[in-house]
Amino acid sequence: MKRRKFGRHNKIPYFSIAVIILFLIIGVFGQYIAPYDATKADLSSKLLPPAFIKGGSSAYLFGTDEMGRDVLSRMIAGGRVSLFVSLSAIIVGGGVGTILGIVAGYFGRTAEGIISRLTDASLAFPSILLALLLSLSIGPGEKATIISIAFSMWAKYTRTVKSDVILLKNTNYVTQAKIMGAGKLWIIRKHILPNIRKMLVVMVSLEIGMAIITEASLGFLGLSVVPPTPSWGTMIADGKNYFLTGWWVSVFPTIATVLTALSFQKFGEWIRDRRKDANE
Amino acid sequence: MKFFIKKTGQALITVFLVSIIVFLAIHSTGDPVGSLLPSQYTEEQKQQLTEQLGLDRPLAVQYLQFAGKALQGNLGESYISKRPVSDMIFEKLPYTFELAIVSIAVAFIITIIFGSIAALSRGKLPDLIISNLSTLFKATPIFFLAILMVQLFGVKWRIFPVSGAGTPLHLVLPAGLLGISISADMVMILRGKMIEALESDYVKFDRLKGIPEYQVVLKHALRNSFSSVLALSSFIFAHLIAGSVVMENVFAWPGIGTLSYNSVISRDFPVVQGIVLLLSIFTIVLSLLVDIFSAILDPRIRKKA
């Protein structure tokens, strides 16, 4: 592959990195930053517009929702949910997927056959329906959301890791390690894992954005966190009935979702292209 | 021939696995008996209903019964409406197919036009606009756009109907949005493949032969690249299902998405089971057909497998 003409992806994506850092800070320290309690309703100040438009008050920077709750504080609390759910889903889904991919790729034969059929089955399974099922079986909430997002992504890791491992397995240094008498686990730890690590980093950062959007979709359908705990998806859903009178209720969480997802996407692309260039 | 048998065999195993996943996932969703009985029920009533529904037998037996009946096209009866599940699904299926087919058509048209433009103008302004827009659409939750459209076109300007189905006008917003959202990924894939194709030897050779540029692009580069977009059919289909559940929800579209959502809410096991099973089998058959189709077109694939 030739390099892109302007190589614009090789520029460090400062803006994306800043957004990601802000997202992480809000996710971890949000409860100390938020100006109000995200779940406290105050009907005397409902649907107040954001501070920067007419009628807005500087007390509520992003306005209030239909129950008088501070939109900014709810967004901060929702950000914590997004961060927690997407990271956990990736750790579970990516972890399981990677292990199965290594097993399928390295040991081949029966293991590969069984795992390949499982990935086929999982890819054929409409993940949104599984999310609907799981939120019923374990009850709606963060756990159900994490499992359904994880289930929808493990197969992708398995496939990618498997094909990489098959390539690595036949390299000279692995063959020499075998001649040396190295055990399978030793080869996996010393040669396979370090080589797929960078590819995993790229996959993870590209997928976090998708996980955040999936969480928002499930929240929108009422399958993620239980009210009154806010998530960006549930906030967008709440605001849909007041859109003409109070657009800010759903527009600000949408901007937060898009910015975060976009930043992880750009960040992932940057790492990927950097890795590609390094290989050339 | 060996290739086709092998692929079909694999597809059958996948169907079997999916049916087990569906069966187990639904049965782990807790006891439907409780939600079906009136609020004041006796232990006896509960036991009777459990027996009637066959929920007291061992799981393996329940699965075999379910699979045996499913093979005969009998997906059981809805707990709520007492009607055969297959009837309920087939009643809604045309609406979902309508939405799906129009959305896919929209997605393909967008992909072909914008993917080609981006590839041909690689690195220049049109490419930058298309690439960035596609990334933006990928990151924007489709349901937000749907709400926006409902409010603007439906409530404020009253140009398009925003709930229900029936006329072509009803299709404009949901199918248009779903098509755009599916094409966001496909445009970039086509762009990448087409850039590869435009730099390949056969395209250079076409140009040397003096074939007009538009023919080189349309007949050779586009045709060869588009097959790699088709190879993603199962992925596209999964995206389509996920999108249509959300779209049907926002636009009150009377299709499978709404049916599955309502059935899950009312814990109607057999209906959900039927829908998930049918949709998964549909995806598997679709990707089998694409595999076979591309193997017929390209003998190299047959040898590789």
Side-chain angles (χ1 to χ4, degrees):
Chain A
M1 277 286 268
K2 282 187 185 170
R3 267 197 213 181
R4 284 198 186 176
K5 225 176 188 174
F6 292 124
R8 64 194 165 90
H9 277 290
N10 297 333
K11 274 192 222 152
I12 301 177
Y14 290 110
F15 183 70
S16 304
I17 293 175
V19 172
I20 292 172
I21 291 173
L22 182 69
F23 176 64
L24 293 178
I25 292 175
I26 284 176
V28 179
F29 302 109
Q31 62 211 73
Y32 308 109
I33 305 172
Y36 297 94
D37 181 350
T39 55
K40 210 184 104 213
D42 177 8
L43 290 176
S44 63
S45 58
K46 63 179 179 181
L47 284 177
L48 282 178
F52 45 83
I53 64 171
K54 217 179 138 206
S57 126
S58 57
Y60 303 103
L61 193 59
F62 285 172
T64 57
D65 69 0
E66 77 284 359
M67 286 167 83
R69 295 172 297 196
D70 181 39
V71 170
L72 178 63
S73 306
R74 286 179 69 72
M75 276 171 66
I76 292 174
R80 194 204 69 86
V81 174
S82 286
L83 176 72
F84 177 68
V85 168
S86 52
L87 277 186
S88 318
I90 294 228
I91 291 169
V92 176
V96 172
T98 305
I99 293 170
L100 288 179
I102 292 175
V103 172
Y106 197 82
F107 297 98
R109 291 168 187 280
T110 327
E112 191 192 349
I114 295 170
I115 292 170
S116 299
R117 293 289 76 72
L118 282 174
T119 52
D120 281 357
S122 152
L123 289 173
F125 199 90
S127 58
I128 188 121
L129 290 181
L130 184 83
L132 287 165
L133 295 178
L134 278 181
S135 60
L136 267 186
S137 68
I138 24 184
E142 288 175 352
K143 207 167 103 195
T145 318
I146 291 167
I147 296 178
S148 20
I149 298 177
F151 189 88
S152 73
M153 47 178 56
W154 71 270
K156 237 184 279 174
Y157 286 84
T158 304
R159 281 203 169 171
T160 320
V161 168
K162 187 184 88 182
S163 54
D164 268 34
V165 170
I166 289 175
L167 287 179
L168 288 170
K169 194 172 72 173
N170 298 318
T171 51
N172 283 332
Y173 54 84
V174 171
T175 316
Q176 276 166 8
K178 275 185 199 154
I179 295 171
M180 222 173 75
K184 280 176 177 159
L185 284 177
W186 190 86
I187 292 176
I188 287 173
R189 211 178 56 224
K190 280 279 172 187
H191 290 305
I192 309 279
L193 277 181
N195 272 301
I196 58 173
R197 204 179 55 208
K198 277 184 186 155
M199 182 217 49
L200 285 177
V201 171
V202 174
M203 270 189 96
V204 163
S205 52
L206 288 176
E207 296 256 300
I208 287 186
M210 293 315 294
I212 289 172
I213 293 175
T214 313
E215 193 277 328
S217 310
L218 296 178
F220 177 76
L221 290 171
L223 303 168
S224 186
V225 292
V226 190
T229 309
S231 91
W232 291 343
T234 50
M235 288 179 75
I236 300 172
D238 286 346
K240 78 176 173 189
N241 301 324
Y242 315 93
F243 202 82
L244 291 182
T245 46
W247 53 266
W248 51 88
V249 179
S250 47
V251 166
F252 287 121
T254 306
I255 294 175
T257 313
V258 174
L259 266 187
T260 321
L262 215 55
S263 298
F264 276 110
Q265 172 84 18
K266 289 275 175 208
F267 184 67
E269 280 172 7
W270 173 66
I271 304 183
R272 184 190 63 197
D273 292 348
R274 230 171 58 127
R275 183 180 161 232
K276 221 184 255 167
D277 289 348
N279 285 346
E280 269 165 17
Chain B
M1 202 54 208
K2 207 178 149 199
F3 172 82
F4 300 114
I5 295 172
K6 193 179 164 195
K7 279 282 166 193
T8 315
Q10 284 178 349
L12 283 176
I13 298 173
T14 314
V15 169
F16 172 67
L17 283 174
V18 164
S19 74
I20 291 183
I21 299 179
V22 174
F23 179 79
L24 287 181
I26 305 229
H27 276 260
S28 65
T29 59
D31 194 2
V33 178
S35 58
L36 287 172
L37 287 165
S39 52
Q40 304 265 320
Y41 62 86
T42 60
E43 239 355 83
E44 204 177 316
Q45 272 178 316
K46 187 179 172 184
Q47 226 165 25
Q48 201 185 349
L49 190 67
T50 312
E51 267 169 41
Q52 195 189 328
L53 297 172
L55 293 172
D56 55 338
R57 275 165 271 188
L59 264 186
V61 176
Q62 285 189 43
Y63 171 74
L64 284 178
Q65 279 177 336
F66 158 72
K69 279 186 192 160
L71 282 176
Q72 299 162 11
N74 178 359
L75 293 169
E77 252 178 28
S78 158
Y79 286 165
I80 313 286
S81 69
K82 305 286 174 212
R83 295 177 48 213
V85 170
S86 43
D87 285 7
M88 290 173 74
I89 294 178
F90 283 112
E91 200 166 87
K92 303 278 185 192
L93 214 51
Y95 290 105
T96 297
F97 271 146
E98 191 185 324
L99 184 62
I101 288 167
V102 178
S103 307
I104 289 192
V106 171
F108 276 167
I109 293 168
I110 293 176
T111 305
I112 290 173
I113 294 176
F114 291 100
S116 313
I117 292 177
L120 288 173
S121 65
R122 179 183 175 198
K124 297 198 193 99
L125 189 65
D127 177 30
L128 290 183
I129 294 174
I130 293 170
S131 301
N132 282 317
L133 268 184
S134 135
T135 319
L136 186 66
F137 270 113
K138 241 165 89 176
T140 311
I142 182 179
F143 52 87
F144 175 73
L145 296 177
I147 296 171
L148 199 68
M149 297 296 133
V150 167
Q151 293 298 335
L152 292 180
F153 289 101
V155 180
K156 207 168 181 190
W157 301 327
R158 298 180 182 278
I159 301 177
F160 295 114
V162 287
S163 104
T167 66
L169 274 184
H170 279 99
L171 266 170
V172 175
L173 291 179
L177 273 179
L178 196 51
I180 291 174
S181 123
I182 300 169
S183 64
D185 279 309
M186 289 160 57
V187 167
M188 291 318 281
I189 290 162
L190 184 69
R191 175 188 173 277
K193 288 288 166 189
M194 207 152 153
I195 286 173
E196 256 173 56
L198 286 171
E199 279 170 0
S200 67
D201 289 341
Y202 67 84
V203 165
K204 277 182 199 148
F205 186 65
D206 282 343
R207 284 184 179 143
L208 283 178
K209 276 199 300 190
I211 296 174
E213 185 66 19
Y214 75 92
Q215 271 194 11
V216 174
V217 173
L218 291 181
K219 268 191 144 169
H220 301 257
L222 180 63
R223 232 166 137 183
N224 275 296
S225 331
F226 202 66
S227 62
S228 48
V229 175
L230 281 184
L232 293 163
S233 61
S234 63
F235 165 79
I236 294 170
F237 198 72
H239 198 140
L240 194 70
I241 290 172
S244 67
V245 173
V246 174
M247 279 301 158
E248 290 188 7
N249 188 301
V250 176
F251 289 98
W253 191 266
I256 298 280
T258 309
L259 180 67
S260 59
Y261 183 74
N262 292 338
S263 311
V264 167
I265 298 300
S266 57
R267 300 189 150 244
D268 202 344
F269 281 27
V271 179
V272 182
Q273 209 166 37
I275 291 172
V276 178
L277 195 64
L278 216 69
L279 288 180
S280 329
I281 290 175
F282 200 59
T283 321
I284 296 165
V285 171
L286 203 75
S287 53
L288 176 68
L289 287 179
V290 172
D291 278 351
I292 289 178
F293 189 62
S294 38
I296 292 172
L297 287 182
D298 188 347
R300 278 173 302 179
I301 298 175
R302 258 178 282 171
K303 294 243 171 66
K304 234 192 309 183

